[in-house]
Amino acid sequence: MHVSSLDELVDFLHARLDEDAHDAHLFHELACPRSVAPDPSATCACPCPASLLAAVCVNAGILRRYEQRLERERQCGLVWQLELILVFAGLKAMALPYELHPAWRDGWYP
């Protein structure tokens, strides 16, 4: 396992979460004023965009904690290889829903 592959996986996950947050605004109900005219000032009570954004926030928090663990290991000089292995396994599990994305790498399967 190379640290560069960890960095690539973290970047991949950040990009996917950004896409998910952007795409969440596309899932409005037919009667929603924002589905007719995508006016950001229009109020919306559709449950789907809020649910998708909440999932993105949770995943972003998990990713942030993994990044903190990686940074702590880098500051300590990579003294405990098991920590990196655990972080890599967790990141790969987070990335699995995106396996059909063109930027996916086969080495990221958990």
Side-chain angles (χ1 to χ4, degrees):
M1 172 187 46
H2 299 290
V3 175
S4 62
S5 60
L6 277 168
D7 292 334
E8 291 170 0
L9 184 53
V10 167
D11 292 341
F12 174 81
L13 283 167
H14 275 294
R16 299 301 70 79
L17 292 177
D18 289 346
E19 287 175 358
D20 288 350
H22 178 266
D23 293 346
H25 299 291
L26 301 174
F27 294 94
H28 292 277
E29 295 177 3
L30 293 176
C32 179
R34 291 183 77 177
S35 68
V36 177
D39 179 14
S41 64
T43 58
C44 172
C46 297
C48 194
S51 168
L52 292 171
L53 288 173
V56 167
C57 287
V58 168
N59 286 331
I62 293 169
L63 181 57
R64 209 172 16 260
R65 285 191 288 280
Y66 278 132
E67 287 180 293
Q68 290 169 349
R69 291 170 71 178
L70 282 173
E71 185 59 33
R72 189 172 49 242
E73 278 298 302
R74 288 179 177 151
Q75 290 174 352
C76 293
L78 301 174
V79 293
W80 197 39
Q81 197 69 10
L82 181 60
E83 183 72 17
L84 286 179
I85 293 168
L86 293 173
V87 167
F88 195 39
L91 290 172
K92 290 191 298 185
M94 281 186 71
L96 190 58
Y98 305 105
E99 70 177 317
L100 298 179
H101 192 276
W104 171 267
R105 300 204 178 177
D106 287 335
W108 292 344
Y109 282 106

